[in-house]
Amino acid sequence: RDTEGILVLTGPGRAGRKARDILNDEFGPCYHAFLPAWYARSSRTGEVGVEFASEKTILSALQNARMSRDSEGNFAWEHLEEMGLVQGNGGHSGAGLLRQLVCDALGIGPCDGKQLTRALNKYNFNIVELAGAQAVVNEIISTEGPENAKQLSLDNADLPVFEMKTFNFTVVVNSKPFGMVMNTGSASVKSISGPAEAAGLRVGDEIIEIIDGETRVPAKDLKQFLETFKVAEPPFKILFSRRRD
C-alpha cells in the first residue's frame, strides 16, 4: 500500500474487537483490516482467529483496509432499528441473531446495538456495506438455517462480504447538493462526489425511487423524479440497487 501508519489486523471475535479499540484509541487513527468470521473460524472447534484464515483471505483483508475516523460518523440507533438489527418499540424478533451474523460478516466481533453503532462509525463503514452484508446474511440464514449460520466456516474470501450479492439499499439525503449525477437513459448513477461518495454510492448503481414522506416516485418516471428531488427538503430517502459484477 502507498500509505504510512499503523495497520491493525485482529481476529473477528470479541477479544479482537477489544484489542482493536484499545490500539486505535492509543495510536489512532489507524488503518484497520477486517476478517469475516466465516473465513477465520476453525471448522473443528468453532473458534475464530487470524490463525484460522487462509493466506488468500488475509491478503484480501489487508488490501481492503480502511482508516478509522476521529469525527462522528453517519450511523445512529435509528438506522439499525430500521434494518432490524436492534429491537425497537415495534419489536424485531431475531434482531440479536441477525446482528451477530452481520458482525460476523463485517469481521468486527460480537456487538450489542450501541457497540455496533460505535464500530460502524469509528471504522468508517457506510450504509451500502452494511446493507450488502445483511443481504448476504439473510441468504445464508435461509439456506443454512439459523444454528448452522452461527457456526459457518468457509475456506476463502474472494471479495468483501458486502459485495457478494445483488441487493437494494436506502440512502438518506441529509443535505443538498447531494453530489450525484444520473444517467437519464438508464436511471443509474453516472458520477458521485461529496455526500453521495461518503454514503458509499458507486457509478453504475441503479436508482429505483425517491421517498419523501408518504411520496414515492420511481426513477423510471424521470421528469417527476427530478421534480420531486428538486423540491424535497432534507432529510429524504433514495432507494438504490447494486448488482454484483
Side-chain angles (χ1 to χ4, degrees):
R1 297 179 63 94
D2 297 326
T3 55
E4 296 181 355
I6 296 173
L7 193 155
V8 179
L9 172 67
T10 66
R14 184 173 282 105
R17 177 171 56 80
K18 290 181 178 179
R20 185 187 299 279
D21 287 344
I22 290 171
L23 289 169
N24 191 78
D25 291 345
E26 182 69 24
F27 302 108
C30 305
Y31 288 94
H32 291 269
F34 294 89
L35 288 169
W38 305 327
Y39 303 103
R41 176 177 283 127
S42 168
S43 58
R44 184 173 61 86
T45 67
E47 295 177 276
V48 294
V50 177
E51 64 270 29
F52 302 116
S54 69
E55 179 180 345
K56 181 179 180 180
T57 298
I58 292 172
L59 287 174
S60 177
L62 294 175
Q63 289 167 356
N64 288 282
R66 62 187 62 228
M67 177 70 81
S68 60
R69 67 165 80 206
D70 291 327
S71 58
E72 187 174 331
N74 296 317
F75 286 97
W77 181 274
E78 291 74 18
H79 296 103
L80 304 189
E81 184 178 344
E82 185 174 306
M83 298 178 74
L85 295 170
V86 296
Q87 186 167 330
N89 293 331
H92 284 290
S93 61
L97 172 63
L98 184 59
R99 184 174 62 251
Q100 174 189 332
L101 294 177
V102 167
C103 289
D104 282 353
L106 296 177
I108 58 179
C111 296
D112 61 25
K114 290 182 180 179
Q115 290 167 337
L116 177 56
T117 303
R118 189 181 308 117
L120 291 170
N121 287 326
K122 179 184 288 187
Y123 299 118
N124 219 6
F125 288 95
N126 59 54
I127 188 63
V128 182
E129 293 167 337
L130 182 61
Q134 185 170 351
V136 174
V137 164
N138 286 336
E139 181 172 285
I140 288 175
I141 291 175
S142 68
T143 57
E144 301 289 336
E147 292 306 313
N148 289 335
K150 288 192 288 187
Q151 294 300 319
L152 190 64
S153 176
L154 301 173
D155 291 333
N156 287 304
D158 295 324
L159 292 168
V161 165
F162 42 78
E163 293 188 4
M164 288 186 170
K165 182 178 172 59
T166 297
F167 60 95
N168 294 345
F169 59 94
T170 301
V171 172
V172 178
V173 178
N174 287 310
S175 63
K176 291 182 178 179
F178 181 52
M180 178 186 75
V181 177
M182 292 178 62
N183 282 310
T184 55
S186 60
S188 62
V189 177
K190 181 178 181 180
S191 66
I192 54 171
S193 61
E197 185 174 13
L201 285 179
R202 181 183 297 170
V203 172
D205 284 339
E206 180 184 350
I207 306 168
I208 298 176
E209 65 179 356
I210 186 171
I211 306 166
D212 184 20
E214 298 298 319
T215 302
R216 305 176 77 106
V217 179
K220 291 181 179 179
D221 185 353
L222 180 62
K223 182 178 179 181
Q224 187 62 40
F225 179 93
L226 292 175
E227 288 179 356
T228 303
F229 184 91
K230 182 178 180 179
V231 301
E233 292 291 336
F236 58 90
K237 301 175 182 178
I238 302 178
L239 179 63
F240 296 87
S241 179
R242 175 169 297 175
R243 301 189 179 279
R244 182 178 177 185
D245 295 333

